[in-house]
Amino acid sequence: MIIRLDQKNKEQAKQLLHIQLAAYQREAEQIGYQDLPPLKETVKDIMETDEIFIGFEKEGHLLGIASYEMHEDRIVLCRLAVHPQHIHQGIGTELMQAIIQQQKTIELTTAEANIPAIKLYEKLGFKQKSRLQVENNLVLTKMECSMLRKVEVIEYQSSWSEQFQDEHDKLKKIVGDNWIYGHHIGSTSVKGMAAKPIIDILLEVKHISGLDECNHLFRQLGYEPLGENGLKGRRFFRKGGLNQTHHVHAYEAGHDDVKRHLVFRDYLKAAPERAKAYANKKRQLAKAYPEDMASYINGKDAIIKEIEQEAYNWSKQYKDK
């Protein structure tokens, strides 16, 4: 299985380097170039890097590793190594797929003569972008895998409520005693409203940290656990890869964001003209940015803030009555 590694831990750094040296020595022999930079690294070098490391573990043994740098708009793959005793078992593919699930454009550089690696990357959707002559007997190839999510806004589907209920019941089973309530939120929860066809589910739980113990169960349902994902006190899960189908936003009961999500939803249900304006804005943005999710999201920001303020005022007046 794929695990997160801590290269700052000396013992783990030693394991990482052991696999790296074995894998890159094999590559050096394949391409006829013995001066590969990964072969010169030490345990200290591994420990001092700020790259994100993941590994493939089986029966307590580390068989392969990968590391990458996370940037705002892309991921840069720094290393991918599978111990020579465990090649041709799909380990490199699993490591790469774990990185691809981050859903950002990925770039990497490999030796042009490393045909097995290039074939693996091409199979995963990478394309060769440029060549760099380093020395007479070493040519590097830069490759990239673009992760542009298509922006799709469709008309309201009556099946969305059924899809929510079906997923709600599955989630309740895996969360168990930690469960308090599951809400259908977002645009797919507002009858008659156009939306991206993604079912947003808000979970209220007793202990947010307890959900971390359920990550393997979420994975079995097809979800990718992303931790807080930028919002303190939240646990976020998404399903469907590039064609996302479900988002789960989980909080402890009483968290401010629970009320924010529910009030936003309820206000749109109670104010059809504002719901219509919001839907029209989304249609316009989807048409203007069909393959630019970031611009689509940024374009919604102003109207979302307007509606959130209106929803807050509405809920306050409703409460005071």
Side-chain angles (χ1 to χ4, degrees):
M1 68 176 184
I2 302 297
I3 60 172
R4 177 72 180 269
L5 299 172
D6 178 15
Q7 77 275 17
K8 305 297 183 184
N9 179 289
K10 189 172 183 179
E11 291 306 311
Q12 225 162 57
K14 287 181 180 178
Q15 293 181 58
L16 290 166
L17 185 62
H18 172 71
I19 291 173
Q20 176 170 303
L21 292 178
Y24 281 96
Q25 182 57 49
R26 182 174 184 273
E27 179 181 344
E29 294 168 0
Q30 285 181 327
I31 67 175
Y33 184 82
Q34 295 295 323
D35 206 26
L36 294 175
L39 292 175
K40 301 177 182 179
E41 288 192 322
T42 65
V43 170
K44 183 181 178 183
D45 294 327
I46 297 287
M47 293 177 69
E48 290 180 349
T49 182
D50 289 324
E51 297 163 17
I52 299 170
F53 281 79
I54 60 173
F56 182 91
E57 186 181 68
K58 185 176 181 181
E59 298 177 352
H61 298 287
L62 192 62
L63 308 183
I65 62 147
S67 73
Y68 56 95
E69 295 174 347
M70 181 75 78
H71 300 273
E72 185 176 349
D73 64 336
R74 65 188 51 239
I75 289 171
V76 178
L77 182 72
C78 302
R79 66 194 86 208
L80 176 67
V82 177
H83 195 282
Q85 293 180 357
H86 301 284
I87 59 174
H88 307 311
Q89 297 178 25
I91 294 172
T93 298
E94 287 207 36
L95 287 164
M96 286 303 301
Q97 287 176 336
I99 299 173
I100 288 169
Q101 285 180 357
Q102 301 287 334
Q103 297 192 354
K104 287 191 175 185
T105 294
I106 304 172
E107 62 181 38
L108 61 87
T109 303
T110 190
E112 188 174 68
N114 190 353
I115 303 302
I118 290 176
K119 286 184 176 179
L120 167 64
Y121 295 136
E122 288 180 337
K123 183 179 178 181
L124 291 170
F126 285 79
K127 298 185 183 301
Q128 298 185 44
K129 305 296 288 187
S130 60
R131 300 170 73 248
L132 175 64
Q133 183 93 35
V134 179
E135 294 183 11
N136 289 337
N137 56 342
L138 180 63
V139 178
L140 299 179
T141 295
K142 184 174 181 179
M143 305 184 75
E144 184 177 279
C145 182
S146 178
M147 290 291 165
L148 292 176
R149 282 173 54 202
K150 184 179 179 181
V151 181
E152 182 183 26
V153 173
I154 65 176
E155 297 309 307
Y156 178 80
Q157 305 290 306
S158 59
S159 62
W160 285 341
S161 61
E162 297 170 7
Q163 291 176 41
F164 158 74
Q165 192 60 53
D166 181 60
E167 204 71 10
H168 169 282
D169 296 343
K170 294 176 183 176
L171 292 167
K172 188 173 183 179
K173 287 181 181 179
I174 67 171
V175 174
D177 292 341
N178 197 19
W179 177 277
I180 292 181
Y181 208 88
H183 307 271
H184 189 185
I185 62 168
S187 296
T188 60
S189 69
V190 181
K191 190 173 182 179
M193 189 169 185
K196 295 196 307 296
I198 298 174
I199 307 300
D200 282 285
I201 301 171
L202 173 65
L203 297 189
E204 292 186 74
V205 298
K206 298 173 185 175
H207 308 290
I208 195 65
S209 60
L211 279 186
D212 298 333
E213 300 171 9
C214 300
N215 280 346
H216 67 292
L217 298 175
F218 275 92
R219 289 191 181 97
Q220 288 175 14
L221 283 183
Y223 284 93
E224 178 188 2
L226 295 173
E228 290 187 335
N229 201 40
L231 291 179
K232 190 172 182 180
R234 177 179 74 162
R235 293 296 184 272
F236 181 63
F237 307 83
R238 65 187 176 197
K239 184 176 185 177
L242 285 178
N243 298 310
Q244 293 175 28
T245 58
H246 298 77
H247 289 167
V248 172
H249 316 254
Y251 296 92
E252 283 188 3
H255 194 287
D256 288 344
D257 280 354
V258 171
K259 180 180 179 181
R260 178 176 63 83
H261 280 296
L262 296 179
V263 166
F264 188 87
R265 177 199 66 186
D266 293 346
Y267 175 66
L268 288 177
K269 289 182 176 181
E273 289 304 312
R274 294 303 281 146
K276 182 178 179 181
Y278 183 36
N280 286 338
K281 183 66 175 179
K282 289 192 293 182
R283 291 188 187 97
Q284 293 168 8
L285 290 167
K287 187 175 181 179
Y289 306 108
E291 293 185 338
D292 187 350
M293 186 62 73
S295 292
Y296 171 81
I297 292 171
N298 291 335
K300 295 193 302 176
D301 187 61
I303 192 169
I304 286 175
K305 286 179 178 176
E306 288 176 9
I307 294 174
E308 281 184 338
Q309 186 60 52
E310 293 169 14
Y312 172 78
N313 294 337
W314 170 80
S315 67
K316 196 169 182 296
Q317 291 171 4
Y318 184 79
K319 187 177 180 180
D320 291 340
K321 287 183 178 179

